[in-house]
Amino acid sequence: MAPFATGTDTPHSIDDHVSNLTPANASGITVLASSKAVIENRLTAATLVISTVTGKITSIFHSVLPQSSFPTGTPYTDYSPHVLLPGLVDAHVHLNEPGRTEWEGFWTGTRAAAFGGVTTVVDMPLNAIPPTTTVANLQEKIRAAQGKCWVDVGFYGGIVPGNVKDLIPLVKAGVRGFKGFMIDSGVAEFPAVSSSDISAVFEELADEPTTVMFHAEMIPPISASVGDDVQWSLPPLEPTGPLERYQTFLDSRPSSFETYAILEVISLAHLAPNLPLHIVHLSAIEAIPMLREARANGMNITAETCFHYLSLAAEQIQEGDTRHKCCPPIRNQANQDGLWDEMLDLEDSVLKTVVSDHSPCTPNLKLLPSHVPGSEGGLKSGCSSDVGKGDFFSAWGGISSVGLGLSILWTEAMRRKFGIDTTLLNIARWCCHNTAKQVGLEQKKGELKVGMDADVAVFDPEAVFEVQHASMLFRNKCSPYQGKALSGVVRETWLRGRRVHTREEGFAEKSGPVGELLLEPRVKA
């Protein structure tokens, strides 16, 4: 009997009994094949057999079986020479619904994800209203998401002053981890936590199956800047230049903001030695040595960086182009090079994952001047001037890129002349396996492996496209990547054995959104 009919849980190669297949023992399967696939951290030809009942991979053959090996009528596609990748797990996305659905929502945000081969997103506890800081608020978010998700969606809980007793109930309700801010978050309903708040959180969650994450920026006691408040300060804390100049903004949020905050986390980690800790969207390379030292001393701490920190550089940001504003800021080219160097030290790197930190808003909040694509108002709408536009301090901070990340990484890696095969394996590690592990989904997401969800991105590494409205499926078409040529195209996206999007035909509208909400509680690693 054929291995895919028996439900065997180990991959197989072609053998003599494959020719003895009969229609009766092969019903209820879909077959995807390619001359190149990332299977358990190696590149190989592969044929994936997927159960149409469970949506899971039931067998893997390390060669391309012909269609004739399967019963007549079995759905079969050979994608050669395109690459079969695990569906990406974007572990840092702001979907903002309910409350700020005009910024982003489950329907638009998850469609944008599926467009780029992302099959799982994990939603941050802000900027929705209410934030995900209690079980009641989580339930409100779950109700808002029902029937709107084109990919699978998990949720983080939020850490704010005074909600420490809400955290364990949120763990039991299925949140994938927790996030707190160590500096003003930008929204009043999600205030920053103090060191005493963090200490209480560590003691409360010390033995829970979860991860605690931090937006790690703090204003050091002695600083030449006070962040976004810099323009209202007196000398010597006043801006270093015009507010529409990117360097002025960059000077206001130096790397010391990140290093000071990370040192604070490290100093408190002894309160929960077994609790996994994580630094979100690390931008400053100066923080890497202290994180390496902490890990060498046995601390369970990791970090992520973002597509924008690995592809955009301060030197190239034009005056007033506030599409680039985010916190921590995009730093200079030398810093970007240092992040790549750390990423490529695969065994010892503290940067385990790459995520989008998709943090959109309505275009008016970006205060874009009329010469910047995506602007509203200003000269183009008949106003007499762009007064007040392009102010990096007053504009909302956040980069829109969900669904573009695979192409962004691929484009930058090819520009740097990295090896094709090595880059495919690295992307699968950074954006699939490790992100799934970060949020406790490694038993079902992040790999093409027998028993795992059949989440597949069919990737064409040779194709090139220009980022325009048709390739920005998130709600507000305002991104620093607009107009850029990116290489590497996701031709198809499969979610649990269902094809949800193709580049040529769009979405499977007849079946509608089939994404599930990932609310099964985590188990202790």
Side-chain angles (χ1 to χ4, degrees), residues 38-347:
V38 176
I39 307 292
E40 298 189 61
N41 200 35
R42 70 186 182 98
L43 279 166
T44 178
T47 301
L48 310 181
V49 182
I50 300 164
S51 167
T52 59
V53 177
T54 66
K56 296 186 180 295
I57 299 171
T58 60
S59 289
I60 298 176
F61 296 86
H62 296 287
S63 58
V64 176
L65 292 181
Q67 187 169 12
S68 59
S69 297
F70 300 93
T72 302
T74 297
Y76 173 98
T77 308
D78 179 357
Y79 289 101
S80 305
H82 301 333
V83 184
L84 302 183
L85 289 172
L88 277 66
V89 177
D90 192 340
H92 192 145
V93 174
H94 295 265
L95 293 175
N96 300 343
E97 187 175 4
R100 290 192 176 93
T101 311
E102 71 276 13
W103 294 16
E104 189 63 275
F106 290 103
W107 181 276
T108 51
T110 58
R111 282 169 76 92
F115 175 87
V118 177
T119 52
T120 303
V121 300
V122 188
D123 180 54
M124 281 290 165
L126 72 165
N127 300 303
I129 302 173
T132 316
T133 51
T134 67
V135 171
N137 291 358
L138 173 64
Q139 292 301 326
E140 190 166 340
K141 178 162 283 195
I142 290 168
R143 286 192 293 271
Q146 294 289 350
K148 298 179 183 177
C149 300
W150 290 86
V151 302
D152 289 348
V153 177
F155 303 96
Y156 288 119
I159 296 170
V160 294
N163 82 323
V164 68
K165 293 305 177 185
D166 293 295
L167 303 182
I168 291 178
L170 281 165
V171 172
K172 294 178 179 177
V175 298
R176 313 314 310 173
F178 292 92
K179 179 187 181 181
F181 269 72
M182 301 176 73
I183 199 168
D184 181 28
S185 72
V187 292
E189 66 277 1
F190 203 92
V193 289
S194 66
S195 296
S196 59
D197 294 321
I198 295 172
S199 297
V201 167
F202 283 179
E203 291 171 352
E204 182 77 358
L205 295 176
D207 297 314
E208 294 298 317
T210 193
T211 299
V212 175
M213 310 182 300
F214 293 99
H215 179 127
E217 285 186 289
M218 291 178 73
I219 300 171
I222 301 174
S223 174
S225 167
V226 287
D228 279 352
D229 292 332
V230 68
Q231 71 269 40
W232 294 293
S233 302
L234 298 173
L237 303 181
E238 64 187 1
T240 59
L243 304 185
E244 66 273 12
R245 186 174 299 163
Y246 184 73
Q247 188 62 47
T248 308
F249 173 66
L250 184 57
D251 289 346
S252 81
R253 296 189 87 112
S255 57
S256 59
F257 277 35
E258 291 188 74
T259 56
Y260 184 64
I262 290 170
L263 283 175
E264 187 72 8
V265 173
I266 289 172
S267 73
L268 298 171
H270 67 278
L271 298 172
N274 298 318
L275 179 65
L277 305 177
H278 185 74
I279 305 300
V280 300
H281 51 50
L282 183 79
S283 78
I285 57 173
E286 291 86 349
I288 290 173
M290 61 183 65
L291 286 167
R292 278 181 168 257
E293 181 180 2
R295 287 174 57 81
N297 291 333
M299 190 175 298
N300 190 356
I301 189 168
T302 56
E304 67 190 33
T305 194
C306 300
F307 304 123
H308 42 277
Y309 299 133
L310 295 170
S311 63
L312 303 174
E315 293 91 334
Q316 279 73 55
I317 298 175
Q318 299 300 307
E319 188 166 295
D321 193 349
T322 52
R323 295 175 302 171
H324 294 79
K325 180 185 175 179
C326 59
C327 300
I330 295 163
R331 303 193 188 277
N332 62 23
Q333 184 64 56
N335 188 88
Q336 182 193 116
D337 295 342
L339 291 174
W340 274 105
D341 289 343
E342 178 68 10
M343 293 290 300
L344 294 171
D345 185 2
L346 299 175
E347 294 301 319

